[in-house]
């Protein structure tokens, strides 16, 4: 695999700054913490080598096995809705490339490791879990992110409860185990709808009660699993 040389590194940094500044100017990025995280995580490290030159095109890109790394604005919107904080324990369902997990790890763990925040991320396709692990290692996030292979629609009870849960695949409804594994005062963000059209749903748990708020329309690859869709 060809690693970026110095001029590639400079070019990628420049392109990253431009797209983040643009998303900030048009109000997609709202908070300093999300802005800083998107500026710090090198998206090019999470893209298959032959597509790296498109790392800062704000679109989903193929990562193999029929899956995609989400567009940069979608990662920004979901991270803003999730509102992660330093020290939080986060579960991500749908690791894909590992990029979203790295953005979350920047906020909950890397900026202040003394608070012991951590990201657990679960991926159904073992080859993609391996791809993500390598990407996270190259970009220096593996200390803060644990990658698990499995059906994330069941959550990951071993480390529950979680302060934040994010699902980056489209589901027919909110998987029951994820609600159970959410901490009190916790928040869950998930695209819910049919296989071709979803809306972002924000679920909050307060004193054991569940509150739901619908957000923007979106289109994600399907969540395949016990509490998701069945295989094609
Ligand atoms: N967050 C990813 C990133 O930053 O690259 C993008 C995720 S991609 C849009 C959705 C991912 O969810 C795919 O990699 C897919 O294999 C995975 N997936 C689908 N159903 C799943 C399940 N039940 N459990 C875990 N992962 C699942």
């Amino acid at each position: 695999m060809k690693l970026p040389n110095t001029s590639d590194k400079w070019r990628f940094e420049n392109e990253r700054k431009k797209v983040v500044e643009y998303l900030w100017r048009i109000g997609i990025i709202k908070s300093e913490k999300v802005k800083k995280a998107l500026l710090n995580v090198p998206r090019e490290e999470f893209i298959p080598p032959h597509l790296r030159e498109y790392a800062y095109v704000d679109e989903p890109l193929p990562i193999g096995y029929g899956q995609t790394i989400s567009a940069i604005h979608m990662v920004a919107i979901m991270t803003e809705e999730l509102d992660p904080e330093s020290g939080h324990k986060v579960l991500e369902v749908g690791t894909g490339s590992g990029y979203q997990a790295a953005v979350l790890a920047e906020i909950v763990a890397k900026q202040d490791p003394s608070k012991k925040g951590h990201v657990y991320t679960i991926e159904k396709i073992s080859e993609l879990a391996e791809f993500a692990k390598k990407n996270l290692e190259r970009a220096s996030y593996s200390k803060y992110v644990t990658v698990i292979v499995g059906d994330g629609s069941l959550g990951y009870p071993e480390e529950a409860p979680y302060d934040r849960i994010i699902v980056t695949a489209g589901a027919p409804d909110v998987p029951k185990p994820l609600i159970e594994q959410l901490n009190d005062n916790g928040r869950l963000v998930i695209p819910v709808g049919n296989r071709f059209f979803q809306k972002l749903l924000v679920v909050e748990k307060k004193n054991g009660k569940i509150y739901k708020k619908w957000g923007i329309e979106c289109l994600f690859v399907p969540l395949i699993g016990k509490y998701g869709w069945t295989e094609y």
Side-chain angles (χ1 to χ4, degrees), residues 50-64:
H50 69 289
L51 292 175
R52 272 195 182 165
E53 60 181 301
Y54 306 109
Y56 293 99
V57 175
D58 187 13
E59 282 177 18
L61 293 172
I63 54 173

Side-chain angles (χ1 to χ4, degrees), residues 3-225:
L3 288 172
N5 62 33
T6 319
S7 65
D8 282 341
K9 193 172 179 282
W10 181 85
R11 183 171 59 84
F12 282 137
E13 265 176 32
N14 224 17
E15 289 181 1
R16 193 183 318 136
K17 272 187 203 150
K18 274 192 192 155
V19 68
V20 171
E21 282 302 335
Y22 172 71
L23 293 175
W24 174 258
R25 220 171 35 244
I26 64 170
I28 296 275
I29 300 175
K30 299 179 194 304
S31 63
E32 289 289 346
K33 66 181 171 189
V34 173
K35 185 179 183 192
K36 194 169 169 192
L38 290 171
L39 281 174
N40 284 350
V41 181
R43 191 175 191 248
E44 65 273 16
E45 298 294 352
F46 296 84
I47 308 276
H50 69 289
L51 292 175
R52 272 195 182 165
E53 60 181 301
Y54 306 109
Y56 293 99
V57 175
D58 187 13
E59 282 177 18
L61 293 172
I63 54 173
Y65 308 93
Q67 307 303 323
T68 52
I69 173 173
S70 303
I72 305 169
H73 70 272
M74 191 50 71
V75 173
I77 290 169
M78 290 187 87
T79 311
E80 290 286 3
E81 289 290 358
L82 193 69
D83 193 24
E85 286 170 22
S86 180
H88 272 169
K89 192 197 276 189
V90 179
L91 175 68
E92 181 195 27
V93 177
T95 314
S97 67
Y99 176 67
Q100 172 77 73
V103 169
L104 295 170
E106 263 290 327
I107 299 172
V108 305
K110 198 170 181 185
Q111 312 238 333
D112 184 357
S114 70
K115 291 197 179 157
K116 303 212 179 307
H118 198 82
V119 178
Y120 294 87
T121 180
I122 182 158
E123 171 58 53
K124 184 178 162 289
I125 301 171
S126 59
E127 290 87 346
L128 281 180
E130 273 314 303
F131 174 61
K133 268 189 206 168
K134 287 194 183 121
N135 298 341
L136 288 160
E137 199 171 313
R138 244 194 350 269
S140 310
Y141 289 96
S142 30
K143 211 159 94 185
Y144 313 111
V145 180
T146 304
V147 180
I148 302 129
V149 178
D151 176 5
S153 78
L154 300 167
Y156 186 59
E158 287 84 342
E159 292 292 338
Y162 301 95
D163 302 303
R164 298 288 186 265
I165 301 180
I166 180 170
V167 182
T168 60
D173 206 344
V174 188
K176 212 170 120 232
L178 298 187
I179 295 200
E180 287 162 4
Q181 291 169 33
L182 189 63
N183 220 344
D184 207 35
N185 291 319
R187 186 183 276 226
L188 184 163
V189 176
I190 179 170
V192 173
N194 62 36
R195 282 179 95 125
F196 310 102
F197 170 83
Q198 303 99 34
K199 275 185 168 187
L200 218 52
L201 181 63
V202 179
V203 179
E204 284 187 294
K205 197 187 255 188
K206 284 182 187 156
N207 299 320
K209 276 192 164 178
I210 299 299
Y211 300 87
K212 294 182 179 177
K213 186 189 90 186
W214 289 98
I216 59 152
E217 294 171 357
C218 51
L219 174 59
F220 278 80
V221 294
L223 179 78
I224 306 285

